Amino acid sequence: MKDFKKIRKHRRLYRTGRWASRKFGWLIRAVRWLAHKLRFLRIFRFLYPFRYIKKLDWYIIKKFLGYYFFSIALIISIAIVFDFNENLSKFTEHHAPARAIIFDYYANFVPYFANLFSALFVFVAVILFTTKLASNSEIIAILASGVSFKRLLRPYMITCVLLSALSFGLSAYVIPHGTVIRQNFETMYKNKKKNTSAENVQLQVDKGVIAYMQHYDNSMKRGYGFCLDKFQDKKLVSHLTAMDIQYDTISDSKYHWKLSNWKIRKLQGMKEHITSGAQKDTIIMMEPTDLVYSKGQQETFTSPELRDYISKQINRGSGNVVQYEVEYHKRIASSFASFILTIIGVSLSARKRKGGMGAALGVGLALSFGYIMLQTVSATFAIQANFPSVLAAWLPNFLFAIVAYFCYRKAPR
């Protein structure tokens, strides 16, 4: 039987409920009416992502991420040791400060190479922990409990979504800024020659506007022997010349140039009007990046900057945009490589073998390096042999998607 304290507690709750129903009955009825009218919103519970992630999924996701970041830390640590040992003499010779070595070079070296070989790290992580699950008969137990192989791939694909989004975000928005700092460090302290000048540069800066520069020095952002011609209906209407031209780096707007010892000839039929001066501020639709190309320059642009640069150069009629197009499409294609290599890795390592993970790891590494080599070869074909840049970036994914399909069909059920 209930004791007196419990009875008094229930009586107090009952009286409180009666009082609330009298005072706030209208509010309770309004909430019920609103819930009845908005019952169609129940469909959104199916969009709640964690609804589909079960305990098994969390187990595999944690294993996947743990092995992925462990393999990155291990391999990058080895790479840092070898790189530091190789460049120690250059750092000493050029008196590189320790702060610059750590924060300007290696702080940007690590994310660049980690993201560059992200697909390899994903593949190695999948091979390592899936083979371990199979050797412990955990895969057999999961499949024997009624879980299909397709259902087993769900946590792998969820993790790939996270890693692909991380990889694309880094390559498209974060790493390009660090690459600028790292390349400047290499130019200063590793004696890597960087192209800082250009000769006889000619480009279309706007529709019917042609710019020419005899010599341009990118370190000073200054050009010499400059002229600007404007055409209308294939006829020259204006001819501007200047002894030198200086890019205004502190201006709030882009395309701001300062001309020295300038002269403008405006042609009107058989007449011409000449004006000249010592200094002149003007807007010319070109930037220093349009005049000088240095190796790896496309890696210093974020994806929006790459897209704008490619569009601008195509409108100008420039043909030197293939490496920029390859870089732009490669950033997108590389993020999808995680899905393809993960399917291959799971299909190869889900079967329990007597030899352990050695054979699966060997095949996996061979496929990973084959993917990276094919990616490099296709990019070279695009740049040197006019191969379509989109196809060059996506060709490794297409070929390895076929390999992933056959591996998936042969996977244990």
Side-chain angles (χ1 to χ4, degrees), residues 90-382:
K90 295 181 180 179
F91 294 158
T92 306
E93 179 183 353
H94 294 90
H95 306 287
R99 181 181 179 84
I101 294 173
I102 296 173
F103 295 102
D104 292 347
Y105 183 65
Y106 284 111
N108 298 301
F109 173 92
V110 171
Y112 174 78
F113 283 96
N115 189 71
L116 181 64
F117 297 105
S118 178
L120 173 62
F121 296 139
V122 167
F123 201 78
V124 170
V126 169
I127 291 288
L128 287 176
F129 86 89
T130 306
T131 303
K132 189 174 181 179
L133 292 179
S135 62
N136 293 336
S137 301
E138 294 180 66
I139 299 291
I140 296 174
I142 292 171
L143 297 177
S145 64
V147 176
S148 64
F149 187 76
K150 182 179 179 180
R151 171 64 182 83
L152 180 64
L153 286 175
R154 181 192 293 178
Y156 289 92
M157 296 296 103
I158 293 173
T159 312
C160 285
V161 170
L162 300 176
L163 296 179
S164 297
L166 176 64
S167 176
F168 177 76
L170 288 174
S171 62
Y173 299 100
V174 178
I175 292 178
H177 298 293
T179 302
V180 175
I181 301 173
R182 181 174 55 84
Q183 288 183 355
N184 291 336
F185 177 91
E186 291 176 346
T187 303
M188 187 177 299
Y189 298 112
K190 291 181 65 177
N191 199 24
K192 278 196 171 183
K193 292 184 178 180
K194 189 177 182 180
N195 189 19
T196 59
S197 64
E199 303 288 340
N200 299 322
V201 180
Q202 184 175 5
L203 71 158
Q204 180 177 326
V205 297
D206 202 354
K207 185 176 180 180
V209 181
I210 307 298
Y212 172 80
M213 204 174 300
Q214 186 176 0
H215 176 78
Y216 177 75
D217 186 357
N218 193 50
S219 59
M220 300 177 62
K221 301 293 188 292
R222 180 182 292 271
Y224 303 92
F226 177 75
C227 68
L228 187 71
D229 296 329
K230 293 183 180 180
F231 295 87
Q232 286 183 359
D233 299 327
K234 299 182 180 180
K235 293 182 179 180
L236 181 66
V237 296
S238 176
H239 178 68
L240 180 149
T241 59
M243 290 292 292
D244 59 78
I245 180 171
Q246 176 72 50
Y247 185 71
D248 192 351
T249 57
I250 61 174
S251 175
D252 295 333
S253 60
K254 297 194 299 182
Y255 313 124
H256 193 190
W257 295 84
K258 294 182 178 180
L259 305 178
S260 299
N261 299 324
W262 58 273
K263 181 189 291 186
I264 299 179
R265 297 173 58 195
K266 291 186 178 180
L267 307 176
Q268 299 174 350
M270 299 299 293
K271 299 179 180 180
E272 66 175 353
H273 180 68
I274 301 176
T275 56
S276 61
Q279 297 287 333
K280 182 180 180 63
D281 292 344
T282 184
I283 300 295
I284 303 175
M285 303 297 289
M286 64 180 183
E287 293 182 279
T289 53
D290 302 330
L291 304 173
V292 177
Y293 172 76
S294 57
K295 185 178 180 181
Q297 181 177 325
Q298 66 273 14
E299 298 176 354
T300 63
F301 292 162
T302 63
S303 288
E305 292 172 346
L306 265 177
R307 185 171 59 248
D308 294 341
Y309 182 84
I310 292 169
S311 177
K312 183 172 65 175
Q313 293 298 102
I314 290 176
N315 292 334
R316 290 175 173 175
S318 175
N320 190 28
V321 294
V322 179
Q323 58 266 35
Y324 296 91
E325 292 177 335
V326 171
E327 177 68 20
Y328 178 77
H329 294 294
K330 188 174 71 173
R331 292 177 182 180
I332 303 173
S334 297
S335 61
F336 283 92
S338 300
F339 296 93
I340 298 172
L341 295 178
T342 296
I343 294 175
I344 296 175
V346 177
S347 303
L348 290 176
S349 56
R351 190 184 303 275
K352 187 174 182 180
R353 292 179 173 85
K354 291 183 179 181
M357 68 177 67
L361 186 61
V363 174
L365 289 175
L367 289 173
S368 297
F369 284 113
Y371 175 85
I372 296 172
M373 184 183 70
L374 182 60
Q375 195 177 51
T376 305
V377 170
S378 61
T380 304
F381 270 110

Side-chain angles (χ1 to χ4, degrees), residues 35-94:
H36 178 72
K37 293 297 182 181
L38 299 179
R39 62 186 183 276
F40 68 92
L41 295 177
R42 296 173 185 172
I43 192 174
F44 287 104
R45 70 179 186 270
F46 295 104
L47 301 179
Y48 182 60
F50 294 104
R51 185 173 185 268
Y52 302 96
I53 303 179
K54 307 301 181 184
K55 187 177 292 187
L56 173 63
D57 301 323
W58 283 118
Y59 176 72
I60 294 178
I61 289 172
K62 290 177 182 177
K63 288 280 188 181
F64 195 161
L65 292 176
Y67 275 84
Y68 173 77
F69 289 109
F70 173 77
S71 61
I72 285 180
L74 181 62
I75 297 176
I76 292 298
S77 299
I78 298 173
I80 290 175
V81 171
F82 279 98
D83 184 81
F84 183 76
N85 183 56
E86 180 182 354
N87 295 307
L88 180 59
S89 59
K90 295 181 180 179
F91 294 158
T92 306
E93 179 183 353
H94 294 90

